[in-house]
């Protein structure tokens, strides 16, 4: 009797993340004739998509149709029947899954990462925000995502943000998603931990925005503060950092104190 082999039939078409599709399976001999007396039970195993799923059922007359679902948008996906023991499981051709329409956004700070094609934000958002130096621009990266955290490269809606830093210049913190992403350059000013930002978008927020710390930047200059003047750290320019005039006026031959600060 000829040996049996499990084959996957059909030419795969592009799929959409989260949309079910049917996979036809046949039990055949080595010449790909259908073996119609096999009632083996099987499910599908997916390559390059750990979160994909299928149902389990039994062959009838050597044929079985299973429902499959990929949630990862990628171009190199394939599938195969679960190991049957004694059968040769043939892997399908590779196929493409595209992102579904964007429903949510995710905002990431430097040090944070995005993993696409996963079921929840805990799996999608990784890493942790790194400390940021005052006066050193950094990007807050915004992504337009489908329900499975794939980037919707067709999404172009408007998006903007504001920060808790009272002295940064926020007039440029806006724009549109391009290919599903928008990087907004932020120049921090005021030192401290627990800085926050909020995003305005037609998309829902996929998760809580992380806080960030602004650390002292590289020392670049010295400033002198006269009696009667006030030093205001965390300001964007010298006029805002040192305010007021010398009080009282200096008298020739009389010493007075000059406070000197090393600042970023």
């Amino acid at each position: 009797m000829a040996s049996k082999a499990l084959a996957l039939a059909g030419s795969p078409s592009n799929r959409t993340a989260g949309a079910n599709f049917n996979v036809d399976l046949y039990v055949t001999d080595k010449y790909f004739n259908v073996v119609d007396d096999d009632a083996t039970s099987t499910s599908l195993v997916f390559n390059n998509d750990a979160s994909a799923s299928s149902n389990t059922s039994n062959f009838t007359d050597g044929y079985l149709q299973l429902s499959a679902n990929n949630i990862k948008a990628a171009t190199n996906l394939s599938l195969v029947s679960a190991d049957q023991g004694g059968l040769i499981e043939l892997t399908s051709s590779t196929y493409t899954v595209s992102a579904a329409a964007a429903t949510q956004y995710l905002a990431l700070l430097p040090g944070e990462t995005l993993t696409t094609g996963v079921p929840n934000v805990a799996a999608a958002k990784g890493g942790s925000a790194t400390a940021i130096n005052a006066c050193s621009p950094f990007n807050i990266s915004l992504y337009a995502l489908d329900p499975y955290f794939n980037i919707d490269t067709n999404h172009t809606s408007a998006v903007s943000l504001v920060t808790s830093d009272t002295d940064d210049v926020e007039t440029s913190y806006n724009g549109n998603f391009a290919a599903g992403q928008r990087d907004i350059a932020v120049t921090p000013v005021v030192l401290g931990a627990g800085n926050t930002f909020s995003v305005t978008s037609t998309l829902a927020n996929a998760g809580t925005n992380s806080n960030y710390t602004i650390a002292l930047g590289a020392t670049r200059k010295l400033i002198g503060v006269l009696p009667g003047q006030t030093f205001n750290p965390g300001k964007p320019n010298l006029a805002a950092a040192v305010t007021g005039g010398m009080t009282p006026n200096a008298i020739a031959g009389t010493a007075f104190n000059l406070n000197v600060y090393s600042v970023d």
Side-chain angles (χ1 to χ4, degrees), residues 211-244:
N211 295 347
Y212 60 97
T213 297
I214 302 175
L216 184 68
T219 300
R220 298 184 297 174
K221 60 179 78 76
L222 299 175
I223 60 171
V225 179
L226 296 166
Q229 290 186 311
T230 301
F231 174 47
N232 308 296
K235 298 297 179 181
N237 53 58
L238 181 60
V242 179
T243 55

Side-chain angles (χ1 to χ4, degrees), residues 161-166 168-174:
L161 64 82
V162 295
T163 75
S164 60
D165 189 339
T166 56
D168 61 355
V169 180
E170 299 182 344
T171 56
S172 62
Y173 295 178
N174 61 81

Side-chain angles (χ1 to χ4, degrees), residues 1-8 26-41 59 61-63 83-90:
M1 178 178 177
S3 63
K4 297 179 180 179
L6 186 60
L8 299 179
Y26 297 87
V27 179
T28 73
D29 63 17
K30 65 181 179 180
Y31 304 108
F32 298 99
N33 299 302
V34 176
V35 179
D36 60 10
D37 63 348
D38 199 299
T40 303
S41 174
F59 285 93
D61 297 330
Y63 168 74
D83 185 11
Q84 298 303 306
L87 299 181
I88 300 172
E89 292 82 25
L90 301 181

